[in-house]
Amino acid sequence: MHSFMRRVAASLAGVFLFAFAAAAETVDLELVLAVDVSRSVDDEEAALQREGYAEAFLHPAVINAIQSNANRRIAVAYVEWAGTHYQKLTIPWTIVGDADSGARFSAMITSQPRVSERWTSISGAIDFSMRVLAISPYQGTRRVIDISGDGVNNNGRPASQARDEALAQGVTINGLVIMNDRPTPGFSEFYSQPALDVFYREQVIGGPGAFVIAIEDFSSFAYAIRNKLIREIASANGEVDVAAAMDAKE
């Protein structure tokens, strides 16, 4: 009898440990940051872009948005992309839930070497980001791909095809568009064509609450990406004053 009770107790302990482990894997958001490193982004712009992401995860408004949700943490992966030949998981899935973990993620971003590759395949970025979501060890209430770029899809299959397949799997895609007036010499002016934000709205973004933020150049990137992250993170919680957080420039 005692042996039976010990086996029952051991089984129940295993169940409780499994349930705890499963709960520990739950996050409010699985977020892929998909960052354009094509050659239309020059060295100065690339630095501003990377600094913008790094600074965002140090900002109290971003941390407050994360902690306002039920699980008080998100899982983030950082992807760099260019043409169909180049997509890289630069920073694997990482939990951010407070200022310390935000600072660690920020440091990982700034420690990465500068990369510059040919072409702009938004469809390739979406497809790769979907593979990254598929290997996530976390269970998110929502799954979002956050694409930043300064050019239209000029390599690979149409962006809308990749977008539609992602939406069919319940993923939301948002965009941050840089209306760049400094294309790399030798590249076509269509990298900075004026309807880039329209292209993103029609061909790239989708899903519940999907949106595009458009900025004129990379000098505004830090403020824009902070605002975008707050909006994405807070969208699951109506109690967050997104407008107030987005206005907090300091």
Side-chain angles (χ1 to χ4, degrees):
M1 181 66 176
H2 289 163
S3 176
F4 173 76
M5 293 302 294
R6 282 197 296 270
R7 289 198 300 272
V8 171
S11 297
L12 288 174
V15 169
F16 288 135
L17 285 172
F18 177 80
F20 178 80
E25 300 294 321
T26 302
V27 295
D28 295 298
L29 173 68
E30 293 170 88
L31 177 64
V32 179
L33 301 175
V35 183
D36 183 359
V37 294
S38 62
R39 290 182 181 170
S40 59
V41 181
D42 65 29
D43 287 343
E44 180 183 350
E45 293 166 341
L48 288 169
Q49 180 174 239
R50 183 164 286 177
E51 288 167 7
Y53 279 105
E55 290 173 8
F57 284 93
L58 297 174
H59 200 280
V62 173
I63 302 303
N64 288 343
I66 292 171
Q67 294 184 339
S68 72
N69 289 308
N71 296 291
R72 299 173 62 85
R73 62 186 192 162
I74 64 172
V76 191
Y78 191 90
V79 167
E80 294 184 329
W81 60 274
T84 55
H85 67 289
Y86 188 84
Q87 302 93 29
K88 181 180 179 182
L89 179 56
T90 305
I91 302 175
W93 286 106
T94 304
I95 290 290
V96 178
D98 55 23
D100 289 342
S101 53
R104 287 193 294 271
F105 191 75
S106 174
M108 285 190 279
I109 294 173
T110 57
S111 68
Q112 301 302 317
R114 159 79 165 126
V115 176
S116 180
E117 293 288 339
R118 296 177 296 110
W119 303 107
T120 301
S121 180
I122 298 172
S123 56
I126 294 172
D127 290 337
F128 184 79
S129 296
M130 289 298 294
R131 293 195 290 274
V132 171
L133 283 167
I135 64 169
S136 169
Y138 304 103
Q139 181 64 48
T141 304
R142 295 175 296 125
R143 296 187 297 163
V144 174
I145 300 172
D146 179 334
I147 297 182
S148 64
D150 73 340
V152 298
N153 195 79
N154 61 24
N155 188 231
R157 65 175 177 153
S160 59
Q161 290 182 5
R163 185 263 320 271
D164 292 346
E165 290 178 12
L167 300 191
Q169 296 186 50
V171 174
T172 295
I173 303 175
N174 298 323
L176 173 56
V177 171
I178 303 96
M179 310 293 281
N180 191 359
D181 60 356
R182 293 170 49 189
T184 300
F187 281 77
S188 167
E189 288 185 1
F190 99 147
Y191 275 77
S192 58
Q193 52 84 35
L196 183 57
D197 55 339
V198 175
F199 175 83
Y200 263 68
R201 289 190 182 96
E202 294 179 350
Q203 303 293 324
V204 178
I205 72 165
F211 64 93
V212 173
I213 292 178
I215 57 176
E216 292 301 318
D217 55 49
F218 281 89
S219 64
S220 305
F221 193 90
Y223 181 45
I225 194 61
R226 182 207 312 162
N227 297 348
K228 190 165 186 282
L229 285 172
I230 292 168
R231 186 168 173 181
E232 285 164 338
I233 294 164
S235 64
N237 189 333
E239 296 179 3
V240 176
D241 189 345
V242 179
M246 289 175 67
D247 287 339
K249 294 189 179 183
E250 298 301 329

